[in-house]
Amino acid sequence: MSANVIAGRPAFSTGGSVYLGKTADGVVHVPGVRYGERLDAADRFSPLGDPSPGRAQAGPTVFPQSPGSLDWLIGPALSRLPQNEDSFLLDIWAPEGAQDLPVLVFLPGGAFISGAGSVGWYDGARLAAEGNAVVVTVSYRLGALALLGGPGGPLNLGAQDILQALRWVSANIAAFGGDPAAVTLAGHSAGAWYAYVLSLAPAAKGLFSRTALFSLPWQPPLSPAAYEARRELFNGLLRGALADGALVGGGTGGGSGTDHDGLLATAPVPAILEAQAAVGKAYAGRGLGLVPAADGGLVPEWAMDFRRAASSLHVDSLLLSSTDNEAAAFLHAVPVAAVLPEQLTGFVAAHFEEAGEVLDFLDARLPGAMPHTKLVEAMSLHQFRLAATELAGLADAAGVASTLLRFSVPSTLDGAGSPHCFELPFLFGNRGNWQDAPMLRGFPEDAFEAVSAQLRPLLLSFVADGRPRTSSGEPLDRFTAERPRLHAVTAGGVVPGAPEPELRARR
């Protein structure tokens, strides 16, 4: 990285654009880098092209979204950032003088309806410094504006945006000291889902060579019929929101990409957010309201058929991680006493092939526990932990080296265990940016640093050469059919172990 200096700030030139950064503790941060802009500026649903040189950098904004359903756990930091439909932005961190360093591209999660790479949670300065790597975070379109717009079927604009961001990184990251031939794509939750799907997509082949998936959810893309059902429901709710007082015409513009009712293309953002929240409520207890749909291109209908998908992976290695108690984050609002034994039995019967086997496993794993606790375990198994284990095994059989992690450090928050999202502040090592996250309240500072110092090297060594190593440099065993090893990150260090027995989830 060879930076000039403009007005006392490091400046980088590429593609006819100049980007200004700021330096702290030996790391340069270049915020608000525009990776694309709509080919049709008047069309909300336009695909992206390369950004104009005159619009290379912008202030921090996020795509339109409502407060997240997990704010009670992770805090309200996202709500403090201004919202803008034009938030096609990256943040880049690189050590001073960086040259030909490996690159980590991170995709945030948020159930496909919230999140942003520009929020302070994902400050990559510590990862860049300790890993001698370039760290990039990405924001992409969310909710109905990403998933329901356009005629003739789903556009999956979030996936398209990320693909454009990866192309921008490939073409330009060398100017910031990164090696475009050594890119790792990582993501958390919905971001992990997109990272996984793009690891299958021929259009993304060659843009990254390794994938790190944190809390990858088992979420099949919607079928055409399910997509149309969501679309019809959303349009009806949007009409209601508009009739309640919102005015048409508050969006980016009509353009050529209007839906069949012409509503979403021109509706103001508050009405869109109101309607998509109502869709979420309509599907409560049945899954997420708005999710990507199969499109025959970036999102294949067989994406969650891991046996088929494993043979389509175009990366050479996978890192798969989940937390002990993923579902505790989603069941927090359900009173413990409200979950009855028959509800637990019903969930297990609906989601596993051998219900009796799973119920016996839950009794052995959690003797004397309330049905609520066992339901958290069953949901965590079905949606996250077994999915990671299944994918690791099938990827290994397909020749893709895989490593399986489990984050096993409990939160101090009562009843949370080690929930969805809890590993993130430890992964980025930036507790100060999570100061209002209830899940960290009361967690000892020295214990935080000790756990973070165990977790960060696992990711950074994977970014360096595809082989996770502990802080002492010991490589982790890969997951193979002969040795299906799991590695648990605990308060006392990284502990080798075995994954759960083969509990067959209904897929």
Side-chain angles (χ1 to χ4, degrees), residues 5-89:
V5 177
I6 297 178
R9 298 176 61 184
F12 308 89
S13 299
T14 181
S17 298
V18 176
Y19 304 87
L20 297 179
K22 49 189 176 183
T23 304
D25 299 323
V27 175
V28 179
H29 176 207
V30 187
V33 173
R34 194 174 299 281
Y35 64 81
E37 61 185 18
R38 293 180 181 86
L39 295 175
D40 180 352
D43 180 5
R44 266 180 168 157
F45 312 124
S46 173
L48 303 182
D50 291 335
S52 304
R55 303 185 70 227
Q57 207 166 2
T61 61
V62 302
F63 283 104
Q65 56 193 278
S66 298
S69 62
L70 297 185
D71 282 8
W72 69 271
L73 183 69
I74 59 179
L78 270 170
S79 300
R80 300 193 187 104
L81 293 173
Q83 299 187 9
N84 191 303
E85 288 189 56
D86 200 28
S87 298
F88 303 104
L89 303 175

Side-chain angles (χ1 to χ4, degrees), residues 331 334-348 359 362 369-376:
L331 291 175
V334 180
V336 170
V339 179
L340 303 176
E342 52 266 31
Q343 291 170 309
L344 171 65
T345 301
F347 177 88
V348 170
L359 290 170
L362 295 174
M370 296 286 285
H372 187 285
T373 301
K374 293 180 179 179
L375 182 59
V376 167

Side-chain angles (χ1 to χ4, degrees), residues 125-266:
R126 193 167 186 180
L127 288 176
E130 293 182 0
N132 200 28
V134 176
V135 178
V136 181
T137 59
V138 183
S139 294
Y140 50 87
R141 278 177 276 194
L142 303 165
L145 290 170
L147 300 171
L148 296 180
L155 293 178
N156 286 318
L157 294 176
Q160 288 195 42
D161 293 348
I162 295 165
L163 181 60
Q164 169 63 20
L166 289 167
R167 287 170 173 158
W168 188 95
V169 167
S170 182
N172 297 283
I173 202 64
F176 301 87
D179 180 359
V183 175
T184 296
L185 182 61
H188 175 260
S189 195
W193 194 93
Y194 278 128
Y196 163 69
V197 167
L198 288 170
S199 300
L200 309 173
K205 186 175 183 178
L207 297 176
F208 56 99
S209 56
R210 292 182 278 274
T211 309
L213 305 173
F214 293 88
S215 296
L216 171 69
W218 187 79
Q219 176 60 66
L222 297 179
S223 67
Y227 170 76
E228 285 303 325
R230 300 292 207 286
R231 186 173 161 92
E232 289 296 331
L233 175 61
F234 174 83
N235 281 335
L237 292 165
L238 182 57
R239 281 192 293 270
L242 293 170
D244 286 341
L247 299 176
V248 177
T252 300
S256 59
T258 59
D259 63 4
H260 67 275
D261 291 320
L263 291 176
L264 185 54
T266 57

